[in-house]
Structure formats: structure tokens, C-alpha cells
Amino acid sequence: MDKTIPVKTYISETEAPQYWYNLRADMKEKHPPFIHPGELRPCVAEDLYPIFCKELVKQELNQTDQLIPIPDGIQQFYKMFRPSPLIRAYSLEKALGTPAAIYYKFEGNNTSGSHKLNSAATQAYYAKQEGITSLATETGAGQWGTALAMACDYYDIDLTVYMVKVSSEQKPYRKIVMETYAAKVIPSPSPTTESGRKILALDPNTGGSLGCAISEAIEKAVTTENCRYVLGSVLDHVLLHQSVVGLEAKTALDKYGITPDVIIGCAGGGSNLGGLIAPYMGGRLQGKNNIQFIAVEPQSCPSFTRGKYTYDFGDTAKTTPLMKMYTLGNGFIPSANHAGGLRYHGMSPILSKLYNDGYLEARAYSQTDVFDAAKLFIKTEGILPAPESTHALKAAIDIARECTKTGEKKTILFGLTGTGYFDLMAYAQHNNGTLSDKVPTDEELQAGFDSIPNLPAKFSD
Ligand SMILES: *Cc1c(COP(=O)(O)O)cnc(C)c1O
């Protein structure tokens, strides 16, 4: 009977979502508000307007509208690379000998090679609407910078990307793609900003960090006329934009009357997972389903599984508003041998709240286990997955293997967020046996926790 379901299901353009789904509207308990770090009070829109585009600030603070219309211009942009395929992994199922059905939503079919373009297209669109002439951002591995470079090129907005210096040296090809889209890529720390110069004065040979690149990008945004800062994950408005992933998946599966038993996503800052699960989690919160939701993270950066649920800064330089989230501490830096992505110290406040309230589970895997799963996947499904996506894949394989033992016919849906063609050095290390696992000790984690600010007791309920 299963074989009546095609390998690839594309919904038609007319079935594509016309609204983003704002999961917070259906959360009876909202996550605690951002706190202004200087004045220790909840942030209001005016605090955020100098940094972010107005419409994005409104979306960030919107907890009531369940459906938010996707403007026509953005729907047109999405048509370039959406709808993305929903794929039934028959070949992988066969290799596992499992009675489970495995589906994945593949977001790698665009030049950024990931889901990040869903939010980049949106953020650049609003910037254009509001007369913003340039944007500034940071990028680590480079997917976000690449997605935003394409979006800014499309809307004719100047873009400066502060790229963590070690990454720009290790991944020169990403830099070339961004430059091909006319973005200015500056290895960070750089002498072009006050914060960059300070860090360089302390250590001229530093390889940089995401925290430092964020500080440079924010400084650039607030000191340049008509410039704003944009972020590619973590924030509520980014999860909102990514809801198109879950809405498309649900439209496709509903056609066959299928509701997944398990939905799995990798979790860096939480945007792809938040987007994939959004409509289904909304149903669960309304008592309409009993789906198991699983976040998967690397053992070397275990925000959910070993982090603390507390207020922390979003960046190492301690410049952002304070967010209540699962965090390893803004000073946490994952081991240098970690090649698997998902390196952010914190986590989406929405997902943090759901995890804390028991609606979301989390697992952590070692990077060698994750690359083993990728090897099985390239043989059976013909897609070279991004190391990030492979975390979700590994969990799907583990659950399908359990079904092989128990005979259970679970339906599993996971997010295949992108392709790994710029991560081939990590594949090479796995091929020649030099990829290793480095799991932080409790003492190492404590050093990160020590960087978490101490707030008055009223913020720690
Ligand atoms: C950025 C990225 C992730 C992780 O980010 P989230 O915000 O947690 O989704 C996962 N996969 C790919 C391919 C990415 O580029």
C-alpha cells in the first residue's frame, strides 16, 4: 500500500503557503520577554528599531496573530526555489530493513545550499521596502552569508558580511559565492570597526569567533546611515519565516492522509527545526495530535542536553538583549576539531520554552556517528548532506532501526536542511579516519556557564 506514495511529492505553486504560521499565537504560555541589558526591563520595539528593520521587529514581538500574510514580492522570490521536495526514503528504508516510513523535506536546492534563504529573502525584502540601502551581518560556516548575499543582490541592497577569519580561510569557496553576488566579505576580526580593532590589539593572530563577528556587524549597522543588522537564526521572526518548510510538508503529507509519528530536526539556533515542526506543534498544543518532536545537536555543543535554561546574551561581546534560552554560556567555544556545524552557544527562545515544558525532546550525537549516517545516506538517497542536517538523519535512522527490531510501522519525518559540498574537508577526514570526537567535560562546560550574567532573582522564575 505504501508504494502508492511517490518518491518525491512537490506541492504545486498554487498550493504554496500564502501565510507564515506564528506558533506563538497557539502557545498558552509564551517564552519570557527579551531584557534590556543596561536597564534590566523587558525590551520594547523602540529598543530594537535602530538595529533591525521595523517590520521584523513587529514580527519579533507579535505573539497574537496566528497567520501572517507573506507579501506577494516574497512569494515571487520563493518561487525561484520553492516548493521544496518532500522525499520518501524508500531506498534508505530498504537498506535498514525497517517497517518504518521515512520522509525528509530537502531544503538544499538553491545556491546557499540550505533553508537559510527562506529568511534571507524575507529580511532583504523588508529592508528594501523600508528604504534601507545596506545590511550588515556575520557568518560562520557561510550558509547564512551566502543566502543573504543572493537576497541582497536580488533587491539591490549593499551587503557587508563579517566572516569568522578561520572560516574564511578554511572555506574560501563560500567567500567566492558571496562575492559573486557582489557582497563585501571581511574576515573578522577586522581593522574596519572599533570592536575589531580592540580584539586585534589584544591578539593580532586570533582566528576570530562568531561573537566577535556579530559585534562588528552590529557596530557597522548602527554607525552607517540607512544600514540595518540581520540575523539568520535563533530569533522568533526567523522561525516564523521558516514555517514555510513545515507548512509545505504538511500540505504534501495531508494529501495522502499521513500524519507523522515522529518529527526530527537538527538544532543550531533552532530555525529549521522551529519551522519544520511549527504547524504540527501547533496541533499538538491544541490537543489534535500526539507527535513526538526531537531536536538533535552535536555532543560537542550540547545546548539542550547539557545547557542551562536562563537569561544570557546572544553574542560573546555581550551587546545583544538578554534572552531566556538553553545556553552553554556566551563565552562557550566548541572544540576546534568540531567539523559538524551547529556551533551556537544558545538556542531559540521558542524552542527552549517548548523543551522546558516537555513538548520537545533532545538528543546529542558524536560527529563520527553522524558522518557514518551521512555515508549510508549518500549511497541510498544520492544527496550529499550538510553535516548539520546529518544530525537529524542519524536520529531518523536510529528510530527506524528500533522499528526493525520491534516491527513498529512508525512514520518519521526529518529535515534535510542542506548540502555538504563546502564541507568536503570534514568528509575527507572521516574517509581517512582522522575525524575525532571531543566531548566537553563538566569542567569545560563550567567555564562557559561562568560567562552567563547574574540577573536579579525576579528574572529567574
Ligand atoms: C545554519 C544551518 C543549520 C542550523 O541552523 P538552525 O537555525 O538551527 O536551523 C542547519 N543546517 C544547515 C544546512 C544550515 O545551514
Side-chain angles (χ1 to χ4, degrees), residues 423-458:
D423 302 284
L424 288 173
M425 290 317 292
Y427 275 92
Q429 286 177 339
H430 189 257
N431 290 345
N432 63 28
T434 56
L435 192 73
S436 60
D437 295 314
K438 173 84 179 61
V439 179
T441 61
D442 288 342
E443 290 69 38
E444 283 163 344
L445 288 187
Q446 190 55 48
F449 294 144
D450 290 343
S451 67
I452 296 173
N454 277 315
L455 294 195
K458 64 175 175 174

Side-chain angles (χ1 to χ4, degrees), residues 282-294:
R284 164 109 189 246
L285 295 174
Q286 293 163 34
K288 292 181 190 160
N289 68 51
N290 199 22
I291 298 171
Q292 182 184 16
F293 299 97
I294 305 176

Side-chain angles (χ1 to χ4, degrees), residues 56-77:
L56 297 171
V57 172
K58 284 185 193 148
Q59 290 180 354
E60 188 63 29
L61 300 177
N62 185 338
Q63 305 197 327
T64 48
D65 295 323
Q66 193 193 44
L67 297 177
I68 297 180
I70 306 176
D72 224 30
I74 297 173
Q75 290 194 43
Q76 290 308 321
F77 193 135

Side-chain angles (χ1 to χ4, degrees), residues 3 48 101 107 111 150 152 193 255 284 302 325 363 451:
K3 303 286 171 190
L48 304 173
E107 291 291 317
T111 44
M150 182 194 169
C152 284
T193 63
K255 283 188 183 182
R284 164 109 189 246
M325 60 183 174
R363 300 183 175 192
S451 67

Side-chain angles (χ1 to χ4, degrees), residues 107-108 112-116 141-144 174 232-234 238-239 242 265-274 296 340-344 347-348 351 385-390 415-420 423:
E107 291 291 317
S112 79
S114 81
H115 64 286
K116 295 223 170 54
Q143 291 99 316
W144 169 246
R174 279 244 198 258
S233 184
V234 185
V238 184
L239 268 72
Q242 296 297 351
C266 63
S271 72
N272 85 83
L273 175 63
V296 190
L342 311 173
R343 306 171 64 96
Y344 188 61
M347 188 51 67
S348 142
L351 294 188
E388 291 90 343
S389 325
T390 309
L416 191 75
T417 50
T419 53
D423 302 284

